[in-house]
Amino acid sequence: MKRHAALTAAAIVVLLVHAGHYLHIWTDDAFITFRYARHLASGEGLVFNPGEHFEGLTNLGLALLLSLFGDTDLLRPARALGVLSAIGTVALLGRWALKSSVSLMATAAGLISLVAVPWLPYWSVQGMETPIAAFLLTLGWTRYAEERQAGGAPLSAVGLGLAPWIRPDGALVAVVIGIWHALTGSWGRHVKRSVAVVAACGAALVAFKLAVFGDVLPNTFHVKTGSLDRGLQYGLSFFTRPAPWLPALVTLSVLRGLAWAGQRDVRGLPALLALIGFGAVVLQDGDFMANFRLLVPLWPAACAALALAVDDLARRLPTRGPLALLALVGLAAAPHARSGAEDGLDGPEARPSGKTAPLTMPWLDSTWGTGLGGRMPFATAWTLVNAGPDETVAYTDIGLLGFVNDVAVIDLLALTDPVMAGRNGERWPEKWAYLSERVTWMLLDVPDGEWRRYRDELADAGWVLEDGCESVWVLRNPGHTASPPDRLEVERRLEAAVERLPTHVGLHASVTNELARAWPDLVPDHLARIRALPTAEGHPYTGPLDCFEDPSTPGCTPLADSCGTTQARVRPERYPDTESWPKAEDYGLAPQDPEQAPVRPEALVDPNEHPPFGDASNAEGPPEPPEATGPGPTHTISASLPKEQATACAEAVEAASGAWLQTADAWASELGAGRAVAERKARRASAQTRAGVEVAGDAADAALAQALEVGADTDAGRRAIEAHAASDRMTAACTPE
């Protein structure tokens, strides 16, 4: 018993150290829950926008818990709940192994897989419901076997009953265990008591939802289901991460557990739960976030199945066999050194990293930076400084923007808005009319995601490009008159933003940049607020703050050209009319049918290769419109060349662009880890062939590096090599003689 306890304690220490590495990372969706909780605490009700009683979240119980902390920094208590839940999950697995008479070596195999693989450690500090769901479900199935034999307090029922409050799909585990017991167990008094507890929790949940939202299922159930292809791709990626051995060992262990389940042996229950949970995730489209968020709640059951398989093997083989298997588990779960282009990078700055990182999750320090992570702080900061209190803003990544700001926010991805979700049968014409009537400002990422859906509608309706930062464009509704906030309102917002997110120095640097343009006299006081934050000392983004105090500081970007932290501002004058707006074809992408269900641009990307917070090298923005050059070639890259060389350059550009498009199409037809990122980089290389010799070469190098890492011997890999050669020929043809 003491050795099991010591092993469990050691696993908890590893968990805490591992989780601490991800404290610099945040997940935007967590702030959606925080906005619901903040509104509930302030008396607005459990709503995303005041007056709109609509369940646009899947973690109702977490929102209720966080509402107890009021209008303050909710990331800290959410993380505390996550870490405590993760610790409890590890402790429960260790206790289950002891009560199930699992050997010490086999227990170690299960615990190593639980705490060394990044999935549970990563999500324990993201402020989301994932670790809480893992704890409650683990409490349910680990205590079930114990209570079945010895009775005791119905803790299993408590876990199974509360789990659906945290995530609706948690009810599936209660159903599976109920069916299992109906087939294999007896119905004594303690079992009936447990059933009553679960039923009471379920009935209370249904009654609460009907009273508050008028519906039992959250909107995400309607929006996120329907594409088996994405679910299958998500499931397939599990078998290639985090290293070749671990998925194989877990799969074999689950198969062994299913054999026990077929014999109605309780040792088969963890494997059965893991398999059914995996299938449910595949059927609900998988997920776009890193580190298998939806698989984490039942990952402890898979680790238990692995421990049972190792224990069974130890009883059949000499000591060396199980020890060798345990060593393989350790190797599979440990971090691995990466070579080649860094994971998550999608631009010319991608270079060999040499970092040590689990293959499931790049250990990058990109969250406070630019690129996909920087678009959210900019959108949030711009709204805070420029959007009037009675105006409505529409965006895709609404978490951070919605939590920091009090204005009405419409989710273009339809998760928190009933009209955009089409809950009453609204189709595209009705949705567009709704946006045109209600929205003053629409923020879109160019060219990804919703830009392809809205570009032509915005152009036809005369929406005006007012501002932008890198890839994020800010467009104003021509039917609305902008009414910016007054000074007192801005000052109130600044104080609230610092109180709500005191650790997000990058956001406050972005806010300072927007203040310098709209309210320069408020900058000194806000800089003083930021520098007083305990997290500001030594933070990488306190450096840009020096530029506001002394613009002559070396390396400072002129205010007119900067945004966010170190990003480049979009200049509306370079796009004098809607004809100059970039089209999907400019990037080698197909226009998106407005009638299609909203899909996050990351949804088709390998969840382990492209984390949702992005990376600093993703921020390239839309290409500048080509300058008029009169007769002859119109490519910007050839505009300054002599006529004969310009013609040859234009032909080389077309050849290289086409070759990269063919490469991207080839990657799109393949499944497997890294393919989605390779496709994205190939399309970017195609688009960048028109942007300049140096930029085009960097993009081609990044696309080739990804191709060589993913599979040079595939058809797409060979096409990438040929396309890179075409880019080299383009460079030679387009370099001034």
Side-chain angles (χ1 to χ4, degrees):
M1 179 181 293
K2 290 183 178 179
R3 290 190 296 175
H4 272 82
L7 181 60
T8 302
I12 290 174
V13 171
V14 173
L15 168 76
L16 295 176
V17 173
H18 195 169
H21 187 83
Y22 304 115
L23 285 173
H24 67 286
I25 298 172
W26 53 272
T27 299
D28 186 68
D29 281 28
F31 295 96
I32 297 176
T33 307
F34 298 169
R35 178 166 164 123
Y36 272 92
R38 173 163 60 82
H39 281 156
L40 180 60
S42 63
E44 298 284 356
L46 200 58
V47 295
F48 188 78
N49 288 320
E52 301 175 8
H53 295 276
F54 181 69
E55 189 179 7
L57 73 171
T58 53
N59 46 17
L60 173 62
L62 179 59
L64 295 175
L65 286 173
L66 293 177
S67 68
L68 301 175
F69 296 91
D71 185 3
T72 184
D73 176 14
L74 296 184
L75 183 59
R76 288 182 176 177
R79 280 179 161 171
L81 288 171
V83 171
L84 290 174
S85 296
I87 292 173
T89 301
V90 175
L92 284 171
L93 190 63
R95 186 178 187 278
W96 164 86
L98 178 64
K99 295 293 183 179
S100 302
S101 300
V102 177
S103 68
L104 190 67
M105 180 183 61
T107 302
L111 291 176
I112 288 173
S113 300
L114 186 61
V115 301
V117 174
W119 305 336
L120 181 63
Y122 174 81
W123 285 109
S124 68
V125 294
Q126 292 308 299
M128 296 187 71
E129 78 284 352
T130 309
I132 304 175
F135 170 75
L136 292 175
L137 293 178
T138 304
L139 175 64
W141 66 260
T142 57
R143 283 285 301 185
Y144 164 74
E146 182 178 345
E147 293 171 17
R148 174 173 170 166
Q149 294 180 350
L155 297 181
S156 173
V158 172
L160 296 176
L162 292 179
W165 283 81
I166 300 299
R167 277 198 66 87
D169 45 14
L172 179 63
V173 175
V175 172
V176 172
I177 291 180
I179 295 175
W180 173 272
H181 189 83
L183 296 175
T184 64
S186 60
W187 292 86
R189 185 172 60 181
H190 70 282
V191 174
K192 294 178 180 178
R193 181 182 57 181
S194 296
V195 171
V197 171
V198 174
C201 291
L205 177 60
V206 170
F208 183 89
K209 288 193 172 190
L210 289 175
V212 176
F213 305 116
D215 199 352
V216 175
L217 294 174
N219 182 56
T220 48
F221 173 83
H222 301 278
V223 173
K224 288 189 174 182
T225 55
S227 176
L228 184 58
D229 289 344
R230 289 199 301 270
L232 288 173
Q233 183 176 349
Y234 185 80
L236 180 63
S237 64
F238 168 78
F239 293 97
T240 58
R241 299 298 186 205
W245 285 108
L246 184 58
L249 289 174
V250 172
T251 301
L252 291 174
S253 301
V254 168
L255 292 176
R256 178 66 183 96
L258 292 179
W260 281 321
Q263 301 168 3
R264 299 188 179 183
D265 187 329
V266 73
R267 289 179 296 176
L269 182 59
L272 185 63
L273 291 172
L275 181 62
I276 292 177
F278 182 86
V281 170
V282 170
L283 290 176
Q284 65 179 5
D285 296 359
D287 191 34
F288 75 96
M289 296 187 187
N291 284 317
F292 295 104
R293 175 177 67 110
L294 298 183
L295 295 179
V296 169
L298 285 174
W299 177 238
C303 295
L306 176 63
L308 287 169
V310 173
D311 187 62
D312 182 60
L313 192 62
R315 300 176 191 277
R316 299 171 181 269
L317 298 177
T319 305
R320 292 182 180 179
L323 286 177
L325 182 58
L326 180 58
L328 289 176
V329 172
L331 290 173
H336 289 255
R338 295 303 304 262
S339 60
E342 286 188 31
D343 283 354
L345 297 190
D346 192 19
E349 292 84 356
R351 291 291 183 268
S353 65
K355 293 183 178 180
T356 298
L359 300 188
T360 47
M361 174 65 211
W363 288 10
L364 300 174
D365 295 328
S366 59
T367 303
W368 308 107
T370 56
L372 294 178
R375 71 186 182 192
M376 300 171 194
F378 164 75
T380 303
W382 192 95
T383 301
L384 186 149
V385 175
N386 297 286
D390 297 324
E391 295 178 336
T392 298
V393 176
Y395 190 40
T396 51
D397 298 289
I398 60 170
L400 183 67
L401 186 152
F403 177 63
V404 173
N405 291 288
D406 296 319
V407 298
V409 179
I410 289 182
D411 181 9
L412 293 176
L413 296 178
L415 298 184
T416 64
D417 191 278
V419 175
M420 297 305 296
R423 292 295 297 274
N424 295 314
E426 296 92 348
R427 297 186 65 81
W428 174 249
E430 291 83 9
K431 295 177 183 179
W432 176 249
Y434 168 72
L435 291 173
S436 299
E437 177 182 355
R438 186 173 178 187
V439 173
T440 304
W441 302 102
M442 186 177 294
L443 285 70
L444 290 172
D445 299 303
V446 181
D448 289 335
E450 302 307 291
W451 175 255
R452 289 182 280 160
R453 180 191 305 271
Y454 291 105
R455 190 257 185 215
D456 292 343
E457 297 284 357
L458 293 166
D460 292 343
W463 284 61
V464 182
L465 173 61
E466 291 279 357
D467 204 347
C469 185
E470 294 287 358
S471 65
V472 179
W473 281 21
V474 180
L475 299 110
R476 178 177 55 81
N477 189 337
H480 290 216
T481 300
S483 55
D486 59 27
R487 180 189 181 93
L488 290 178
E489 173 66 12
V490 173
E491 290 179 330
R492 184 196 67 78
R493 293 180 180 185
L494 293 174
E495 293 177 359
V498 173
E499 290 178 1
R500 291 170 184 171
L501 274 180
T503 60
H504 203 323
V505 177
L507 167 66
H508 301 306
S510 297
V511 170
T512 306
N513 206 321
E514 300 308 309
L515 277 179
R517 295 170 63 88
W519 298 92
D521 58 322
L522 296 181
V523 169
D525 288 343
H526 191 59
L527 284 176
R529 286 193 197 96
I530 299 174
R531 295 197 182 282
L533 295 174
T535 54
E537 184 68 27
H539 194 284
Y541 281 109
T542 54
L545 301 179
D546 297 334
C547 297
F548 299 108
E549 297 174 328
D550 183 7
S552 63
T553 302
C556 288
T557 304
L559 179 62
D561 300 327
S562 65
C563 57
T565 48
T566 58
Q567 298 165 278
R569 203 164 205 102
V570 173
R571 296 185 177 183
E573 63 270 16
R574 296 192 68 91
Y575 303 89
D577 52 53
T578 57
E579 289 298 318
S580 62
W581 289 4
K583 300 180 178 63
E585 306 88 82
D586 297 334
Y587 296 83
L589 302 172
Q592 191 169 353
D593 183 357
E595 290 289 357
Q596 291 179 353
V599 176
R600 289 180 181 267
E602 299 93 338
L604 300 179
V605 177
D606 185 323
N608 306 295
E609 291 288 345
H610 196 75
F613 51 83
D615 184 84
S617 301
N618 282 326
E620 295 183 25
E624 300 290 355
E627 301 175 4
T629 59
T634 59
H635 297 301
T636 303
I637 197 171
S638 61
S640 60
L641 299 175
K643 184 176 181 179
E644 291 185 1
Q645 186 181 2
T647 301
C649 172
E651 293 175 352
V653 167
E654 291 296 331
S657 178
W660 282 116
L661 275 183
Q662 292 176 4
T663 302
D665 291 341
W667 283 125
S669 64
E670 296 188 9
L671 291 177
R675 267 61 172 177
V677 176
E679 178 192 353
R680 182 181 175 90
K681 292 191 176 185
R683 295 196 188 281
R684 180 63 60 84
S686 175
Q688 294 296 75
T689 55
R690 295 170 171 80
V693 171
E694 183 176 353
V695 172
D698 287 340
D701 289 344
L704 178 63
Q706 181 69 19
L708 295 178
E709 181 174 347
V710 172
D713 56 343
T714 63
D715 175 63
R718 289 188 289 270
R719 288 180 182 272
I721 295 172
E722 295 171 359
H724 191 270
S727 292
D728 288 341
R729 291 192 292 270
M730 182 202 74
T731 300
C734 298
T735 301
E737 296 177 351

